[in-house]
Amino acid sequence: MRRKTRDAGPGDGWTTEWLGWRAAARQALYGPEGFYRRPEGPAGHFRTSVHASALFARAVALLLCRVDEALGHPDRLDFVDMAAGRGELAAGVAAALPPEVAARARVHAVEIAARPPGLDPRIEWHAEPPAGVTGLLFANEWLDNVPVEIAEVDSAGVPRLVLVRRDGAERLGEPVTGAEARWLERWWALPGEAGWRAEIGLPRDTAWAEAVGHLRRGLAVAVDYAHTADARPLFGTLTGFRQGRETAPVPDGSCDVTAHVALDACVLPGGRVTTQRAALRMLGVTGARPSLALASTSPAEYVRALASAGEAAELTAPGGFGDFGWLVQPVGIPDPLAEATA
Protein backbone atom coordinates (compact mmCIF):
# COMPACT_ATOMS: atom_id res chain seq x y z
CA MET A 1 0.00 0.00 0.00
CA ARG A 2 1.42 3.38 -0.99
CA ARG A 3 1.24 6.33 1.37
CA LYS A 4 1.55 10.06 0.82
CA THR A 5 4.22 11.78 2.87
CA ARG A 6 2.67 15.24 2.69
CA ASP A 7 -0.74 16.84 2.70
CA ALA A 8 -2.55 16.04 -0.52
CA GLY A 9 -5.11 18.11 -2.34
CA PRO A 10 -6.70 18.56 -5.76
CA GLY A 11 -4.22 18.82 -8.57
CA ASP A 12 -1.19 17.50 -6.68
CA GLY A 13 -1.40 13.84 -7.69
CA TRP A 14 -3.72 12.55 -4.96
CA THR A 15 -6.67 12.88 -7.32
CA THR A 16 -5.26 10.20 -9.62
CA GLU A 17 -3.13 8.17 -7.19
CA TRP A 18 -4.46 4.75 -6.19
CA LEU A 19 -4.34 4.08 -2.44
CA GLY A 20 -5.62 1.33 -0.20
CA TRP A 21 -8.86 2.31 1.51
CA ARG A 22 -7.16 2.53 4.90
CA ALA A 23 -4.70 5.21 3.79
CA ALA A 24 -7.30 7.04 1.71
CA ALA A 25 -9.87 7.13 4.51
CA ARG A 26 -7.28 8.22 7.07
CA GLN A 27 -6.37 11.20 4.92
CA ALA A 28 -10.00 12.03 4.12
CA LEU A 29 -11.16 11.86 7.73
CA TYR A 30 -8.19 13.00 9.78
CA GLY A 31 -5.81 14.86 7.46
CA PRO A 32 -5.29 18.62 7.81
CA GLU A 33 -8.42 19.27 5.72
CA GLY A 34 -10.19 16.10 6.81
CA PHE A 35 -13.86 15.61 7.53
CA TYR A 36 -13.42 15.42 11.31
CA ARG A 37 -11.65 18.76 11.38
CA ARG A 38 -14.53 20.61 9.70
CA PRO A 39 -16.00 23.43 11.84
CA GLU A 40 -19.57 22.09 11.89
CA GLY A 41 -18.45 18.82 13.52
CA PRO A 42 -20.01 15.40 13.02
CA ALA A 43 -23.42 16.62 14.22
CA GLY A 44 -23.64 18.69 11.05
CA HIS A 45 -23.85 15.48 9.02
CA PHE A 46 -25.39 12.67 11.10
CA ARG A 47 -27.15 11.91 14.38
CA THR A 48 -25.83 9.57 17.01
CA SER A 49 -27.57 8.39 20.16
CA VAL A 50 -25.97 11.37 21.92
CA HIS A 51 -27.77 13.81 19.63
CA ALA A 52 -31.04 11.85 19.65
CA SER A 53 -31.78 12.31 23.35
CA ALA A 54 -30.28 13.57 26.61
CA LEU A 55 -31.43 10.21 28.03
CA PHE A 56 -28.34 8.63 26.49
CA ALA A 57 -25.90 10.85 28.41
CA ARG A 58 -27.91 10.30 31.61
CA ALA A 59 -27.70 6.53 31.10
CA VAL A 60 -23.93 6.76 30.60
CA ALA A 61 -23.70 8.89 33.76
CA LEU A 62 -25.57 6.17 35.64
CA LEU A 63 -23.18 3.59 34.24
CA LEU A 64 -20.27 5.72 35.48
CA CYS A 65 -21.89 5.74 38.94
CA ARG A 66 -22.10 1.94 38.85
CA VAL A 67 -18.44 1.76 37.89
CA ASP A 68 -17.68 4.14 40.75
CA GLU A 69 -19.43 1.78 43.16
CA ALA A 70 -17.58 -1.24 41.78
CA LEU A 71 -14.30 0.65 42.24
CA GLY A 72 -15.09 1.48 45.86
CA HIS A 73 -15.62 5.22 45.27
CA PRO A 74 -12.03 6.27 44.49
CA ASP A 75 -10.77 9.79 45.22
CA ARG A 76 -10.49 10.34 41.47
CA LEU A 77 -13.05 8.91 39.06
CA ASP A 78 -12.31 9.28 35.33
CA PHE A 79 -14.76 9.46 32.46
CA VAL A 80 -13.11 9.31 29.02
CA ASP A 81 -15.22 10.14 25.97
CA MET A 82 -13.43 8.72 22.91
CA ALA A 83 -14.04 10.48 19.57
CA ALA A 84 -15.88 13.18 21.48
CA GLY A 85 -17.02 15.26 18.50
CA ARG A 86 -17.70 18.65 20.02
CA GLY A 87 -17.94 17.32 23.57
CA GLU A 88 -21.69 16.68 23.61
CA LEU A 89 -21.56 13.39 25.50
CA ALA A 90 -18.84 14.55 27.90
CA ALA A 91 -20.87 17.65 28.74
CA GLY A 92 -24.07 15.65 29.17
CA VAL A 93 -22.44 13.15 31.50
CA ALA A 94 -20.79 15.89 33.57
CA ALA A 95 -24.15 17.65 33.96
CA ALA A 96 -25.99 14.45 34.94
CA LEU A 97 -23.67 13.24 37.70
CA PRO A 98 -24.91 13.52 41.29
CA PRO A 99 -22.92 16.09 43.31
CA GLU A 100 -21.05 13.54 45.43
CA VAL A 101 -19.78 11.81 42.27
CA ALA A 102 -19.20 15.00 40.28
CA ALA A 103 -16.93 16.30 43.05
CA ARG A 104 -14.50 13.42 42.40
CA ALA A 105 -14.97 13.09 38.63
CA ARG A 106 -12.52 14.13 35.95
CA VAL A 107 -14.12 14.27 32.54
CA HIS A 108 -11.88 13.83 29.50
CA ALA A 109 -12.85 14.41 25.86
CA VAL A 110 -10.58 12.78 23.27
CA GLU A 111 -10.79 14.30 19.80
CA ILE A 112 -8.41 15.42 17.05
CA ALA A 113 -10.34 18.65 16.41
CA ALA A 114 -9.66 21.74 18.49
CA ARG A 115 -11.57 22.32 21.71
CA PRO A 116 -14.87 24.03 20.87
CA PRO A 117 -15.56 27.44 22.39
CA GLY A 118 -17.94 27.57 25.33
CA LEU A 119 -17.40 23.95 26.40
CA ASP A 120 -17.91 23.21 30.10
CA PRO A 121 -14.57 24.14 31.72
CA ARG A 122 -14.67 20.94 33.79
CA ILE A 123 -14.01 18.94 30.61
CA GLU A 124 -10.35 18.29 29.81
CA TRP A 125 -9.58 18.16 26.08
CA HIS A 126 -7.04 15.65 24.70
CA ALA A 127 -5.78 14.49 21.33
CA GLU A 128 -5.01 11.06 22.86
CA PRO A 129 -6.63 9.22 25.78
CA PRO A 130 -4.97 9.83 29.14
CA ALA A 131 -2.98 7.04 30.76
CA GLY A 132 -3.82 5.36 34.04
CA VAL A 133 -7.60 5.77 33.81
CA THR A 134 -9.67 4.67 36.81
CA GLY A 135 -13.30 4.77 35.78
CA LEU A 136 -15.20 4.49 32.48
CA LEU A 137 -13.79 4.78 28.96
CA PHE A 138 -16.69 5.17 26.53
CA ALA A 139 -16.34 5.06 22.73
CA ASN A 140 -19.59 5.95 20.99
CA GLU A 141 -19.33 5.42 17.22
CA TRP A 142 -15.54 5.60 17.21
CA LEU A 143 -14.43 2.23 15.88
CA ASP A 144 -16.52 2.55 12.69
CA ASN A 145 -14.27 5.47 11.78
CA VAL A 146 -10.99 3.65 12.40
CA PRO A 147 -9.94 3.18 8.74
CA VAL A 148 -9.56 -0.35 7.42
CA GLU A 149 -8.58 -2.04 4.21
CA ILE A 150 -11.31 -3.41 1.94
CA ALA A 151 -10.93 -6.84 0.34
CA GLU A 152 -12.79 -8.06 -2.75
CA VAL A 153 -12.74 -11.49 -4.38
CA ASP A 154 -11.49 -11.42 -7.97
CA SER A 155 -12.59 -13.60 -10.89
CA ALA A 156 -10.12 -16.29 -9.86
CA GLY A 157 -11.53 -16.48 -6.33
CA VAL A 158 -8.62 -14.60 -4.73
CA PRO A 159 -9.30 -11.85 -2.14
CA ARG A 160 -7.49 -8.68 -3.20
CA LEU A 161 -7.10 -5.26 -1.64
CA VAL A 162 -9.38 -2.62 -3.12
CA LEU A 163 -7.59 0.54 -4.19
CA VAL A 164 -9.37 3.89 -4.48
CA ARG A 165 -8.77 7.37 -5.90
CA ARG A 166 -9.79 10.65 -4.32
CA ASP A 167 -12.85 10.79 -6.61
CA GLY A 168 -14.07 7.40 -5.32
CA ALA A 169 -13.13 5.29 -8.35
CA GLU A 170 -11.89 1.81 -7.37
CA ARG A 171 -9.79 -1.02 -8.78
CA LEU A 172 -8.32 -4.22 -7.38
CA GLY A 173 -4.75 -4.31 -6.09
CA GLU A 174 -2.51 -7.02 -4.70
CA PRO A 175 -3.79 -10.20 -3.00
CA VAL A 176 -4.45 -9.97 0.72
CA THR A 177 -1.53 -11.54 2.61
CA GLY A 178 0.02 -11.84 6.06
CA ALA A 179 -1.85 -10.76 9.19
CA GLU A 180 -4.70 -9.31 7.13
CA ALA A 181 -5.24 -12.64 5.35
CA ARG A 182 -5.18 -14.44 8.69
CA TRP A 183 -7.74 -11.99 10.09
CA LEU A 184 -10.06 -12.64 7.13
CA GLU A 185 -9.71 -16.40 7.53
CA ARG A 186 -10.52 -16.19 11.25
CA TRP A 187 -13.21 -13.51 11.30
CA TRP A 188 -14.67 -12.95 7.83
CA ALA A 189 -13.99 -15.85 5.48
CA LEU A 190 -14.91 -14.90 1.91
CA PRO A 191 -16.38 -17.47 -0.51
CA GLY A 192 -14.51 -17.82 -3.78
CA GLU A 193 -17.11 -15.88 -5.75
CA ALA A 194 -16.15 -12.71 -7.60
CA GLY A 195 -17.41 -9.47 -6.11
CA TRP A 196 -17.81 -10.53 -2.46
CA ARG A 197 -16.26 -7.96 -0.16
CA ALA A 198 -15.15 -7.59 3.45
CA GLU A 199 -13.70 -4.90 5.67
CA ILE A 200 -10.47 -6.15 7.28
CA GLY A 201 -11.04 -5.11 10.89
CA LEU A 202 -7.52 -5.76 12.22
CA PRO A 203 -6.76 -2.02 12.84
CA ARG A 204 -9.94 -1.75 14.91
CA ASP A 205 -8.96 -4.74 17.05
CA THR A 206 -5.61 -3.05 17.66
CA ALA A 207 -7.13 0.38 18.33
CA TRP A 208 -9.56 -1.08 20.86
CA ALA A 209 -6.84 -3.05 22.65
CA GLU A 210 -4.74 0.12 22.88
CA ALA A 211 -7.67 2.13 24.24
CA VAL A 212 -8.45 -0.51 26.87
CA GLY A 213 -4.77 -0.47 27.76
CA HIS A 214 -5.22 3.06 29.12
CA LEU A 215 -7.48 1.67 31.87
CA ARG A 216 -5.89 0.88 35.21
CA ARG A 217 -9.25 -0.30 36.61
CA GLY A 218 -12.79 0.21 35.48
CA LEU A 219 -14.87 -0.41 32.38
CA ALA A 220 -14.40 0.21 28.67
CA VAL A 221 -17.43 0.30 26.36
CA ALA A 222 -17.50 0.60 22.56
CA VAL A 223 -20.88 1.36 20.96
CA ASP A 224 -21.24 1.02 17.22
CA TYR A 225 -22.96 -0.27 14.11
CA ALA A 226 -21.88 -3.89 14.31
CA HIS A 227 -22.15 -7.41 12.96
CA THR A 228 -20.91 -10.77 14.18
CA ALA A 229 -19.45 -13.83 12.49
CA ASP A 230 -22.82 -15.55 12.07
CA ALA A 231 -24.21 -12.64 10.00
CA ARG A 232 -21.48 -10.86 8.07
CA PRO A 233 -22.81 -8.73 5.19
CA LEU A 234 -22.14 -10.25 1.77
CA PHE A 235 -20.67 -7.16 0.16
CA GLY A 236 -19.38 -5.18 3.13
CA THR A 237 -20.84 -2.01 4.63
CA LEU A 238 -18.58 0.81 3.46
CA THR A 239 -20.61 4.00 3.00
CA GLY A 240 -20.54 7.76 3.39
CA PHE A 241 -22.65 10.39 5.17
CA ARG A 242 -23.03 14.03 4.19
CA GLN A 243 -25.51 16.56 5.62
CA GLY A 244 -27.75 13.93 7.13
CA ARG A 245 -27.92 11.67 4.08
CA GLU A 246 -26.19 8.44 3.19
CA THR A 247 -23.99 8.89 0.14
CA ALA A 248 -21.22 7.21 -1.81
CA PRO A 249 -18.00 6.82 0.21
CA VAL A 250 -15.74 9.29 -1.59
CA PRO A 251 -12.43 9.87 0.25
CA ASP A 252 -12.04 13.57 -0.53
CA GLY A 253 -12.83 14.99 2.93
CA SER A 254 -16.35 16.10 1.98
CA CYS A 255 -18.18 13.26 3.76
CA ASP A 256 -17.87 10.77 6.56
CA VAL A 257 -16.40 7.42 5.44
CA THR A 258 -17.56 4.62 7.69
CA ALA A 259 -18.09 0.86 7.85
CA HIS A 260 -19.80 -1.32 10.43
CA VAL A 261 -17.60 -3.01 13.04
CA ALA A 262 -16.88 -6.70 13.54
CA LEU A 263 -17.20 -6.18 17.30
CA ASP A 264 -16.80 -9.86 18.09
CA ALA A 265 -13.26 -9.67 16.70
CA CYS A 266 -12.41 -6.78 19.04
CA VAL A 267 -13.42 -8.52 22.27
CA LEU A 268 -10.59 -9.03 24.75
CA PRO A 269 -10.58 -11.71 27.48
CA GLY A 270 -13.41 -11.08 29.92
CA GLY A 271 -15.36 -8.88 27.51
CA ARG A 272 -18.62 -9.50 25.69
CA VAL A 273 -20.98 -7.98 23.16
CA THR A 274 -24.60 -7.10 23.85
CA THR A 275 -27.12 -4.77 22.21
CA GLN A 276 -27.83 -1.15 23.01
CA ARG A 277 -31.42 -2.16 23.70
CA ALA A 278 -30.37 -4.58 26.44
CA ALA A 279 -27.74 -2.27 27.91
CA LEU A 280 -29.98 0.81 28.07
CA ARG A 281 -32.85 -1.14 29.59
CA MET A 282 -30.43 -2.23 32.30
CA LEU A 283 -29.79 1.49 32.83
CA GLY A 284 -33.46 2.40 33.08
CA VAL A 285 -34.13 3.51 29.49
CA THR A 286 -37.16 1.41 28.55
CA GLY A 287 -39.46 3.47 26.33
CA ALA A 288 -42.49 2.57 28.45
CA ARG A 289 -45.41 4.96 27.90
CA PRO A 290 -46.75 6.88 30.92
CA SER A 291 -50.12 5.97 32.40
CA LEU A 292 -53.08 7.68 30.74
CA ALA A 293 -54.32 8.54 34.22
CA LEU A 294 -51.45 11.00 34.48
CA ALA A 295 -52.89 12.96 31.55
CA SER A 296 -55.91 13.97 33.63
CA THR A 297 -54.13 14.60 36.92
CA SER A 298 -51.03 16.37 35.56
CA PRO A 299 -51.20 17.11 31.81
CA ALA A 300 -47.82 18.88 31.66
CA GLU A 301 -46.06 16.02 33.42
CA TYR A 302 -47.79 13.55 31.10
CA VAL A 303 -46.57 15.41 28.01
CA ARG A 304 -43.00 15.44 29.35
CA ALA A 305 -43.17 11.75 30.19
CA LEU A 306 -44.59 10.93 26.77
CA ALA A 307 -41.80 12.84 25.05
CA SER A 308 -39.22 11.03 27.16
CA ALA A 309 -40.80 7.68 26.29
CA GLY A 310 -40.58 8.54 22.60
CA GLU A 311 -36.90 9.38 22.90
CA ALA A 312 -36.24 6.19 24.85
CA ALA A 313 -38.08 4.20 22.19
CA GLU A 314 -35.80 5.68 19.50
CA LEU A 315 -32.67 4.79 21.48
CA THR A 316 -33.81 1.18 21.88
CA ALA A 317 -35.70 0.61 18.61
CA PRO A 318 -35.16 -2.59 16.58
CA GLY A 319 -33.71 -1.75 13.20
CA GLY A 320 -32.20 1.46 14.60
CA PHE A 321 -30.11 2.54 17.58
CA GLY A 322 -31.39 -0.37 19.63
CA ASP A 323 -29.54 -2.84 17.41
CA PHE A 324 -26.17 -1.14 17.93
CA GLY A 325 -23.57 -3.36 19.54
CA TRP A 326 -22.13 -2.60 22.97
CA LEU A 327 -18.71 -4.15 23.56
CA VAL A 328 -18.44 -4.28 27.36
CA GLN A 329 -14.89 -4.78 28.67
CA PRO A 330 -14.35 -4.79 32.47
CA VAL A 331 -10.83 -4.25 33.77
CA GLY A 332 -10.31 -5.36 37.36
CA ILE A 333 -14.00 -5.04 38.35
CA PRO A 334 -17.16 -7.11 37.91
CA ASP A 335 -19.25 -6.33 34.83
CA PRO A 336 -21.71 -3.55 35.88
CA LEU A 337 -24.05 -4.56 33.04
CA ALA A 338 -23.89 -8.31 33.55
CA GLU A 339 -27.62 -8.67 34.16
CA ALA A 340 -28.45 -6.95 30.86
CA THR A 341 -28.30 -10.25 28.98
CA ALA A 342 -28.72 -12.65 31.87
Side-chain angles (χ1 to χ4, degrees), residues 13-68:
W14 166 215
T15 302
T16 57
E17 185 177 12
W18 295 97
L19 299 174
W21 262 108
R22 187 181 179 197
R26 184 188 298 118
Q27 175 69 19
L29 296 177
Y30 306 117
E33 303 299 325
F35 175 82
Y36 278 96
R37 298 186 188 274
R38 294 168 66 102
E40 70 272 20
H45 297 270
F46 53 83
R47 293 169 80 241
T48 70
S49 297
V50 179
H51 307 116
S53 173
L55 292 175
F56 189 79
R58 292 174 197 158
V60 176
L62 176 57
L63 179 57
L64 178 59
C65 291
R66 292 190 180 181
V67 171
D68 179 47

Side-chain angles (χ1 to χ4, degrees), residues 182-269:
R182 291 191 293 275
W183 189 94
L184 280 181
E185 183 178 0
R186 169 65 179 86
W187 293 108
W188 197 333
L190 287 167
E193 299 178 30
W196 287 50
R197 289 171 69 128
E199 292 103 30
I200 306 175
L202 183 60
R204 293 169 173 177
D205 301 356
T206 302
W208 180 243
E210 290 176 351
V212 174
H214 287 81
L215 268 177
R216 180 182 292 119
R217 289 181 68 219
L219 182 70
V221 177
V223 180
D224 237 308
Y225 296 95
H227 46 69
T228 53
D230 58 348
R232 301 288 189 221
L234 301 182
F235 303 105
T237 61
L238 185 69
T239 192
F241 284 93
R242 182 189 295 114
Q243 297 179 346
R245 297 179 180 274
E246 190 168 0
T247 186
V250 179
D252 62 359
S254 69
C255 67
D256 187 24
V257 176
T258 177
H260 295 196
V261 183
L263 272 183
D264 50 341
C266 298
V267 177
L268 299 169

Side-chain angles (χ1 to χ4, degrees), residues 100-187:
E100 65 275 14
V101 178
R104 294 180 287 107
R106 291 185 62 179
V107 180
H108 311 268
V110 181
E111 180 58 67
I112 64 165
R115 181 188 182 96
L119 186 66
D120 188 327
R122 294 176 294 178
I123 298 172
E124 303 176 29
W125 199 260
H126 308 270
E128 299 288 340
V133 171
T134 299
L136 174 61
L137 182 146
F138 201 88
N140 187 57
E141 296 195 41
W142 168 51
L143 288 175
D144 68 301
N145 285 129
V146 173
V148 295
E149 298 290 6
I150 309 298
E152 181 176 321
V153 179
D154 68 11
S155 59
V158 177
R160 292 179 176 271
L161 295 176
V162 178
L163 306 183
V164 64
R165 295 189 317 208
R166 184 181 172 89
D167 62 5
E170 293 183 335
R171 69 174 176 84
L172 297 186
E174 296 298 314
V176 181
T177 60
E180 293 173 333
R182 291 191 293 275
W183 189 94
L184 280 181
E185 183 178 0
R186 169 65 179 86
W187 293 108

